[in-house]
Amino acid sequence: FVAGISKTGAAGFKLSLVDSLPAPPSKGDNQWSLELRDASDALMPGYAIEAEPFMPDHGHGTSEQVLFTDDGDGTYTLNPVNFFMPGYWETTVTIVDTGATDSEDDDTDIDTMVFKFCVDG
């Protein structure tokens, strides 16, 4: 873990993990601060963020839903990002354009990135 670690998705969007509380991510509930930029490096406010922690070695995720807050300036807060046991975790983060309506049918996944961490016990 390094503050500012970035992942670029297939569609060219860049997501940076600006901060994690605690840092590095550890067992239990974590809070992540993310920064979203498009391919031209412009900050991207107004999107939804979905995150799913998963342990591929064990074949399971976590029962805690990750909630997001759009901070309004291209940064987003995810809380809780729950790693309930030590081991290797992959957290898939999906950027979602919720469109102009409240209908879930209008939501469009625009890019996906995966953050990978070994969580100590």
Side-chain angles (χ1 to χ4, degrees):
F1 170 81
V2 176
I5 188 172
S6 296
K7 299 290 181 175
T8 302
F13 294 94
K14 180 179 169 184
L15 192 63
S16 299
L17 178 52
V18 177
D19 194 20
S20 174
L21 296 172
S26 66
K27 182 179 170 190
D29 288 342
N30 293 256
Q31 177 176 302
W32 287 6
S33 297
L34 303 173
E35 183 179 82
L36 179 62
R37 294 182 179 270
D38 65 13
S40 66
D41 209 35
L43 286 166
M44 297 177 56
Y47 289 82
I49 305 287
E50 296 176 353
E52 184 177 345
F54 185 76
M55 289 191 88
D57 295 341
H58 293 235
H60 64 73
T62 180
S63 61
E64 298 260 350
Q65 180 182 2
V66 179
L67 303 176
F68 84 97
T69 302
D70 178 355
D71 299 328
D73 59 356
T75 62
Y76 299 81
T77 301
L78 300 182
N79 191 28
V81 181
N82 181 266
F83 304 117
F84 67 89
M85 64 185 297
Y88 174 70
W89 287 87
E90 294 182 353
T91 302
T92 301
V93 180
T94 303
I95 311 307
V96 180
D97 184 352
T98 57
T101 70
D102 292 330
S103 170
E104 282 191 33
D105 294 338
D106 292 337
D107 293 354
T108 303
D109 294 354
I110 61 169
D111 217 340
T112 300
M113 300 80 170
V114 179
F115 290 91
K116 302 172 183 182
F117 297 104
C118 285
V119 172
D120 287 335

